[in-house]
Amino acid sequence: MWCFSICEHPIGCAKRIFVKHLFFIELFVLRWTALLREGAEAAKLSAIFNFQSLISVLLLLICTCTYLRSLVPNIIDRNKEGLLGVFWKCARIGERLSPWISAGCFFMAAVVLFF
């Protein structure tokens, strides 16, 4: 339980909070190790674990941000810093490296279709 009252021993309170966090971390680790033991199919939970999917997601993100910036530049340009600045950076990458991005999209389309 969380210790919200004034404790006689603050160290005991901190230990209980620490043990609770350790319990959740242990549950997280046990869940992932169980999923990894089940095989490769269970490990495909997101694009982070598969390099081909990660590249596809990045290319789609870059192309989408570039397209949105061409339609409505105010939405992308007002957030140049912070978490939403990632979209502005993706739009800039798409604008400046458009031949390479389009070649990457064609290559990934061929890989997805034929392999």
Side-chain angles (χ1 to χ4, degrees):
M1 295 297 294
W2 291 99
C3 185
F4 289 114
S5 63
I6 297 176
C7 296
E8 295 174 7
H9 303 286
I11 294 175
C13 225
K15 282 183 182 177
R16 277 185 260 153
I17 292 172
F18 180 72
V19 167
K20 184 168 180 118
H21 286 293
L22 271 180
F23 177 72
F24 286 120
I25 292 170
E26 185 178 350
L27 280 177
F28 180 77
V29 169
L30 287 175
R31 172 80 176 135
W32 277 100
T33 53
L35 285 175
L36 292 175
R37 283 187 198 136
E38 289 177 7
E41 290 299 317
K44 291 183 180 179
L45 297 176
S46 73
I48 297 171
F49 298 114
N50 188 354
F51 185 69
Q52 178 182 346
S53 298
L54 178 68
I55 296 297
S56 297
V57 168
L58 287 176
L59 283 172
L60 286 172
L61 179 69
I62 290 171
C63 293
T64 303
C65 290
T66 306
Y67 179 70
L68 285 177
R69 188 173 186 276
S70 69
L71 289 180
V72 192
N74 294 335
I75 293 176
I76 301 289
D77 287 341
R78 74 177 132 183
N79 298 316
K80 293 184 179 179
E81 295 178 358
L83 185 63
L84 295 176
V86 172
F87 301 121
W88 179 78
K89 291 174 186 174
C90 288
R92 295 299 281 180
I93 289 170
E95 290 171 353
R96 293 184 178 190
L97 299 174
S98 60
W100 292 101
I101 297 297
S102 62
C105 288
F106 281 118
F107 177 74
M108 284 308 294
V111 167
V112 168
L113 287 175
F114 302 117
F115 297 104

Coordinates of all heavy atoms in Angstrom, one line a residue, residues 31-51 53:
R31 N 6.6 -10.6 -17.9 CA 5.6 -10.6 -19.1 C 6.4 -10.6 -20.4 O 6.1 -11.4 -21.3 CB 4.7 -9.4 -19.0 CG 3.9 -9.2 -20.2 CD 2.7 -10.1 -20.2 NE 1.8 -9.8 -21.3 CZ 1.3 -10.8 -22.1 NH1 1.4 -12.0 -21.8 NH2 0.5 -10.4 -23.1
W32 N 7.4 -9.8 -20.5 CA 8.2 -9.8 -21.7 C 9.0 -11.0 -21.9 O 9.2 -11.5 -23.0 CB 9.1 -8.5 -21.8 CG 8.3 -7.4 -22.2 CD1 7.8 -6.4 -21.5 CD2 7.9 -7.1 -23.6 NE1 7.1 -5.5 -22.3 CE2 7.2 -5.9 -23.6 CE3 8.2 -7.7 -24.8 CZ2 6.6 -5.3 -24.7 CZ3 7.7 -7.1 -25.9 CH2 6.9 -6.0 -25.9
T33 N 9.6 -11.6 -20.9 CA 10.4 -12.8 -21.0 C 9.5 -13.9 -21.4 O 9.8 -14.8 -22.2 CB 11.1 -13.2 -19.7 OG1 10.2 -13.2 -18.6 CG2 12.3 -12.2 -19.5
A34 N 8.2 -14.0 -20.9 CA 7.3 -15.0 -21.3 C 6.9 -14.9 -22.8 O 6.8 -15.9 -23.5 CB 6.0 -15.0 -20.4
L35 N 6.7 -13.6 -23.2 CA 6.4 -13.4 -24.6 C 7.6 -13.8 -25.5 O 7.3 -14.4 -26.6 CB 6.0 -12.0 -24.9 CG 4.6 -11.6 -24.4 CD1 4.5 -10.0 -24.6 CD2 3.6 -12.3 -25.1
L36 N 8.8 -13.5 -25.1 CA 9.9 -13.9 -25.9 C 10.2 -15.4 -26.0 O 10.7 -15.9 -27.0 CB 11.2 -13.1 -25.4 CG 11.1 -11.6 -25.7 CD1 12.4 -11.0 -25.0 CD2 11.1 -11.3 -27.1
R37 N 9.8 -16.1 -24.9 CA 9.9 -17.5 -24.9 C 8.9 -18.2 -25.9 O 9.1 -19.3 -26.3 CB 9.7 -18.1 -23.5 CG 10.9 -17.9 -22.7 CD 10.7 -18.6 -21.3 NE 11.7 -18.0 -20.4 CZ 11.4 -17.7 -19.1 NH1 10.2 -17.9 -18.7 NH2 12.3 -17.2 -18.3
E38 N 7.8 -17.6 -26.1 CA 6.7 -18.2 -26.9 C 7.1 -18.3 -28.4 O 6.6 -19.0 -29.1 CB 5.4 -17.4 -26.8 CG 4.8 -17.6 -25.4 CD 3.5 -16.7 -25.3 OE1 3.1 -16.2 -26.3 OE2 3.0 -16.7 -24.2
G39 N 8.1 -17.5 -28.8 CA 8.5 -17.6 -30.1 C 8.5 -16.3 -30.8 O 8.2 -15.2 -30.3
A40 N 8.9 -16.3 -32.1 CA 9.0 -15.1 -32.9 C 7.7 -14.4 -33.1 O 7.6 -13.2 -33.2 CB 9.8 -15.4 -34.2
E41 N 6.6 -15.2 -33.2 CA 5.3 -14.6 -33.5 C 4.9 -13.7 -32.4 O 4.2 -12.7 -32.6 CB 4.3 -15.7 -33.8 CG 4.5 -16.3 -35.1 CD 4.5 -15.4 -36.3 OE1 3.6 -14.5 -36.3 OE2 5.3 -15.5 -37.2
A42 N 5.1 -14.1 -31.1 CA 4.7 -13.4 -30.0 C 5.5 -12.1 -29.8 O 5.1 -11.1 -29.2 CB 4.8 -14.2 -28.7
A43 N 6.8 -12.1 -30.3 CA 7.6 -11.0 -30.1 C 7.3 -9.8 -31.1 O 7.8 -8.7 -31.0 CB 9.1 -11.4 -30.3
K44 N 6.5 -10.1 -32.1 CA 6.1 -9.1 -33.1 C 5.0 -8.2 -32.6 O 3.9 -8.2 -33.1 CB 5.8 -9.7 -34.4 CG 6.9 -10.4 -35.1 CD 6.5 -10.9 -36.5 CE 7.7 -11.6 -37.2 NZ 7.3 -12.1 -38.5
L45 N 5.3 -7.5 -31.5 CA 4.2 -6.7 -30.9 C 4.2 -5.3 -31.5 O 3.1 -4.6 -31.5 CB 4.5 -6.6 -29.4 CG 4.4 -7.9 -28.7 CD1 4.7 -7.7 -27.2 CD2 3.0 -8.5 -28.8
S46 N 5.3 -4.8 -32.0 CA 5.3 -3.4 -32.6 C 6.4 -3.4 -33.7 O 7.1 -4.3 -33.9 CB 5.5 -2.4 -31.6 OG 6.8 -2.4 -31.1
A47 N 6.5 -2.3 -34.4 CA 7.5 -2.1 -35.4 C 8.9 -2.0 -34.9 O 9.8 -2.1 -35.6 CB 7.1 -0.9 -36.3
I48 N 9.0 -1.8 -33.6 CA 10.4 -1.6 -33.0 C 11.2 -2.9 -33.1 O 12.4 -2.9 -33.3 CB 10.2 -1.1 -31.6 CG1 9.6 0.2 -31.6 CG2 11.6 -1.0 -30.9 CD1 9.2 0.7 -30.2
F49 N 10.5 -4.0 -33.0 CA 11.2 -5.3 -32.9 C 11.5 -5.9 -34.3 O 12.2 -6.9 -34.4 CB 10.4 -6.3 -32.1 CG 10.2 -5.9 -30.7 CD1 8.9 -5.6 -30.3 CD2 11.2 -5.8 -29.8 CE1 8.7 -5.2 -29.0 CE2 11.0 -5.4 -28.5 CZ 9.8 -5.1 -28.1
N50 N 10.9 -5.3 -35.3 CA 11.2 -5.8 -36.7 C 11.7 -4.7 -37.5 O 11.1 -3.6 -37.7 CB 9.8 -6.3 -37.3 CG 10.0 -7.0 -38.6 OD1 11.1 -7.1 -39.1 ND2 8.9 -7.6 -39.1
F51 N 13.0 -4.9 -38.1 CA 13.6 -3.8 -38.8 C 12.9 -3.4 -40.0 O 12.8 -2.2 -40.3 CB 15.1 -4.2 -39.1 CG 15.9 -3.1 -39.7 CD1 16.3 -2.0 -39.0 CD2 16.2 -3.2 -41.1 CE1 17.0 -1.0 -39.5 CE2 17.0 -2.1 -41.6 CZ 17.4 -1.1 -40.9
S53 N 9.7 -3.5 -40.6 CA 8.5 -2.7 -40.2 C 8.9 -1.3 -39.7 O 8.2 -0.4 -39.9 CB 7.7 -3.5 -39.1 OG 7.2 -4.7 -39.6

